[in-house]
Amino acid sequence: MSLTDAESFECPYCMTNNDIEIDEANDIGQQQIVDCQICCQPIEILIVDHGFGLELIAKRDDE
């Protein structure tokens, strides 16, 4: 049994899809900085649970 779920998000710099592993017990409501797997730019990720599923909000680190 895996404790993480695989999710994808679009890089706000180069618009390519990136993969991320989410630990629902610890990552909900947390802000993370990850590098794009293609262009290596820093992406600010916020993981939100609205009760009907997870939402990943990806934005540029300089916004």
Side-chain angles (χ1 to χ4, degrees):
M1 182 173 116
S2 176
L3 298 177
T4 61
D5 293 320
E7 295 286 337
S8 331
F9 64 92
E10 187 176 89
C11 174
Y13 295 94
C14 68
M15 305 309 167
T16 58
N17 284 331
N18 284 258
D19 297 320
I20 190 170
E21 293 287 322
I22 297 175
D23 178 0
E24 290 191 31
N26 296 310
D27 292 341
I28 306 295
Q30 299 294 317
Q31 213 167 346
Q32 302 177 24
I33 303 292
V34 297
D35 290 335
C36 175
Q37 297 165 348
I38 304 300
C39 70
C40 299
Q41 294 292 325
I43 305 166
E44 189 176 305
I45 301 286
L46 178 61
I47 303 163
V48 181
D49 184 4
H50 293 290
F52 55 86
L54 297 179
E55 178 184 10
L56 268 70
I57 302 168
K59 58 185 182 176
R60 297 168 67 117
D61 188 38
D62 59 359
E63 287 182 355

